[in-house]
Amino acid sequence: MKFRYILLLLLALVLAYVYYRNYYAPQQGTTTDPARTEVGQDADGSVASDNAGTDEEIAASDASLEENAVTDTTERLKLPGVTDIEIVEAYKYLNEMRSNPPAYSEIVDFDLSEVQARDSLSWNTILAAVAQTKANDMANRNYFGHVNPEGYGINFYIVDAGYKLEKDWLDNKRDNNFESLAAGYRSGKDAVIGLVNDDGIPTGEEGSGHRMHLLGIDDWNKKMKDIGIGHAYNPDSNYKHYWVFVIARHKW
């Protein structure tokens, strides 16, 4: 009889051990860390910015719309009608860079030692509305370029919104003299860095227009005074994040 009880006890212990292993013990080799990508980069490390006259495709990083809401309670720069913290950061960071470009050479990964400091750009609500509308349009209709599917460039929309430009700049509805585009960057800071880097193209050569535009390097762009920035996110679009920098001035 004792022997039977011992067998039953051993069997109960075995069953209890199996139950514990299956339902409570930590499993080995069954979990992996999610893939990590840098801000503004896809898993393959690619990023992109639009070059003047060309559209370069890039892979976009994934992010939620909630990331762009202002949730920090600390005091920060506020822009009229702007709730996207990344737009605020892009504006602030660009003006900081304009005040001392050489100091940002290492960050941008391009020699800015010869670039002169420029005054801060003033936030303009009209240009901001134009930039945001363009960003939304690209994200919603899944395209990336200076000319929209209807064949209109940013000059037309700037004037249409009430910001006066020279009439000569409206001769061609496709004209763009004031817009820089970037896509795939989750943060405003990285969008600015990507545009100023401009694929490492030497300043003054074809394709370096974004750097000259944002930092006011040449005679044309150093006269610009006003800025509006737009940022849109659509997880179902090719690049997910779309950035529009409209930098202009009224009188010439």
Side-chain angles (χ1 to χ4, degrees), residues 73-85:
T73 57
T74 60
E75 184 177 354
R76 62 172 69 249
L77 175 67
K78 294 182 180 180
L79 299 175
V82 177
T83 58
D84 186 338
I85 187 60

Side-chain angles (χ1 to χ4, degrees), residues 92-234:
K92 178 182 176 182
Y93 190 68
L94 175 56
N95 275 333
E96 290 173 351
M97 188 181 296
R98 285 171 61 94
S99 71
N100 186 13
Y104 290 82
S105 294
E106 184 175 351
I107 296 173
V108 174
D109 193 24
F110 188 87
D111 184 11
L112 301 174
S113 61
E114 301 298 322
V115 179
Q116 297 181 13
R118 298 295 182 202
D119 293 337
S120 294
L121 295 165
S122 299
W123 186 259
N124 184 279
T125 55
I126 295 178
L127 297 183
V130 172
Q132 188 60 54
T133 298
K134 176 65 179 289
N136 290 342
D137 192 46
M138 290 193 296
N140 293 333
R141 296 204 284 173
N142 200 20
Y143 74 93
F144 181 54
H146 290 300
V147 180
N148 68 12
E150 287 72 41
Y152 287 92
I154 205 67
N155 289 16
F156 172 85
Y157 291 104
I158 290 174
V159 173
D160 190 57
Y163 190 99
K164 294 181 180 180
L165 297 176
E166 296 287 346
K167 293 181 179 180
D168 292 344
W169 302 334
L170 300 173
D171 289 342
N172 188 332
K173 69 177 185 178
R174 300 171 61 90
D175 282 347
N176 162 47
N177 299 97
F178 308 103
E179 176 187 72
S180 284
L181 304 177
Y185 297 97
R186 294 173 63 181
S187 79
K189 179 179 177 180
D190 283 347
V192 170
I193 291 173
L195 286 168
V196 173
N197 174 272
D198 237 359
D199 296 328
I201 299 172
T203 301
E205 292 188 8
E206 184 177 357
S208 65
H210 305 104
R211 185 183 310 119
M212 293 190 292
H213 187 212
L214 268 65
L215 298 184
I217 294 176
D218 59 344
D219 289 339
W220 168 269
N221 287 297
K222 72 180 182 181
K223 299 175 183 177
M224 307 299 176
K225 301 296 183 183
D226 301 326
I227 186 173
I229 302 172
H231 171 225
Y233 172 77
N234 182 355

